[in-house]
């Protein structure tokens, strides 16, 4: 993957995203749509996974058939909204290993602080896909990628539903080696760090909290 930012403009992705943005969409609908879009985005982000071959016998004859190479992919959810994207990727890649990064924002320093980190072993040998639906300021995403790199990851991609220009710029500055795949590059952030036009608070909408 050579581009730093890929916006997936597939009509199904764009249609489902419109339904997700609509404030009238129910919690159940939002969650289902997020799972479906994530599957489509995951298809794009895994497009260049390495293949090798394995020798099999079809009912007709023997063949060397393509199969994914290397260790199982590591999927890392950035808590808590990232959890809404796990199922979509796991339906496509059921054998993926799963990790979690939890960060909160210190209200005084405004810096992200880690409260949870659990990653699959041998991150250095895996393709790592970090998931968080909203790339807003980019501060927590960049911090999460820092932690993954400290844990050994060196082949990381970032999968989100919406990105802001500010978040993309922050990630490009901090992690130019981490390609981003998203369904939309939205217009801007508001003064509270929410994406416009956006879809509101993704965690609240998928978990029914306020
Ligand atoms: N997180 C959200 O859930 N929504 C935004 O718009 C920005 C960050």
């Amino acid at each position: 993957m050579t581009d730093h930012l890929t916006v997936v403009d597939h009509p199904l992705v764009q249609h489902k995203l419109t339904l997700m943005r609509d404030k009238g969409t129910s919690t159940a609908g939002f969650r289902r749509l997020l799972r479906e879009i994530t599957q489509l985005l995951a298809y794009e982000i895994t497009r260049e996974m390495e293949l090798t071959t394995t020798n099999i016998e079809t009912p007709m004859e023997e063949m060397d058939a393509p199969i994914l190479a290397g260790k199982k992919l590591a999927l890392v959810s950035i808590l808590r909204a990232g959890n809404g994207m796990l199922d979509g990727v796991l339906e496509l890649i059921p054998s993926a290993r799963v990790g979690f990064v939890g960060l909160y924002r210190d209200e005084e320093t405004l810096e992200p602080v880690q409260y949870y980190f659990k990653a699959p072993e041998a991150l250095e040998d895996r393709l790592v896909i970090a998931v968080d639906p909203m790339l807003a300021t980019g501060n927590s995403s960049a911090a999460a990628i820092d932690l993954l790199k400290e844990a050994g990851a060196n082949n990381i991609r970032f999968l989100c539903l919406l990105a802001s220009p500010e978040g993309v710029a922050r990630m490009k500055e901090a992690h130019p080696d981490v390609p981003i795949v998203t369904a939309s590059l939205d217009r801007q952030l508001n003064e509270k760090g929410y994406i416009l036009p956006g879809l509101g608070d993704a965690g609240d909408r998928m978990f029914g909290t306020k």
Side-chain angles (χ1 to χ4, degrees):
M1 193 161 264
T2 49
D3 291 345
H4 184 251
L5 179 71
T6 302
V7 178
V8 179
D9 60 1
H10 191 288
L12 283 177
V13 170
Q14 295 306 314
H15 175 83
K16 289 174 192 290
L17 179 57
T18 297
L19 299 179
M20 289 189 78
R21 290 185 192 271
D22 188 335
K23 67 179 184 184
T25 296
S26 68
T27 301
F30 189 90
R31 220 182 275 153
R32 178 179 50 77
L33 288 160
L34 180 57
R35 194 186 70 236
E36 291 170 358
I37 294 193
T38 303
Q39 262 184 350
L40 296 164
L41 297 177
Y43 177 81
E44 189 62 37
I45 209 167
T46 53
R47 183 179 283 284
E48 287 155 33
M49 279 177 84
E50 273 183 45
L51 291 171
T52 179
T53 55
T54 185
N55 189 265
I56 58 166
E57 277 181 46
T58 78
M60 310 303 290
E61 62 180 28
E62 202 176 300
M63 74 176 284
D64 289 323
I67 188 169
L68 291 172
K71 276 198 181 294
K72 307 285 185 238
L73 174 151
L75 181 61
V76 177
S77 165
I78 302 176
L79 299 173
R80 81 182 151 144
N83 282 10
M85 298 179 80
L86 289 180
D87 286 351
V89 184
L90 288 172
E91 273 164 30
L92 215 57
I93 313 166
S95 59
R97 305 304 191 235
V98 181
F100 298 89
V101 179
L103 298 161
Y104 71 88
R105 196 163 75 139
D106 184 299
E107 291 307 330
E108 293 204 341
T109 64
L110 301 184
E111 291 297 319
V113 181
Q114 173 192 334
Y115 67 85
Y116 190 75
F117 185 81
K118 187 84 181 170
E121 47 92 38
L123 276 191
E124 59 279 8
D125 299 328
R126 301 179 191 275
L127 169 63
V128 177
I129 300 183
V131 294
D132 188 349
M134 310 299 271
L135 176 55
T137 62
N139 289 336
S140 59
S141 309
I145 303 295
D146 282 338
L147 292 171
L148 291 170
K149 286 185 174 173
E150 279 165 29
N154 55 38
N155 183 13
I156 309 174
R157 292 174 198 181
F158 188 85
L159 185 60
C160 59
L161 183 64
L162 295 188
S164 72
E166 296 89 337
V168 170
R170 171 83 181 91
M171 283 285 277
K172 188 161 192 175
E173 168 197 296
H175 299 293
D177 57 317
V178 176
I180 300 166
V181 171
T182 187
S184 174
L185 178 60
D186 273 15
R187 191 179 73 244
Q188 67 183 96
L189 291 181
N190 73 6
E191 66 289 350
K192 291 191 171 147
Y194 278 81
I195 298 177
L196 299 176
L199 48 72
D201 189 299
D204 282 346
R205 292 199 62 193
M206 77 181 73
F207 297 122
T209 48
K210 248 282 176 253

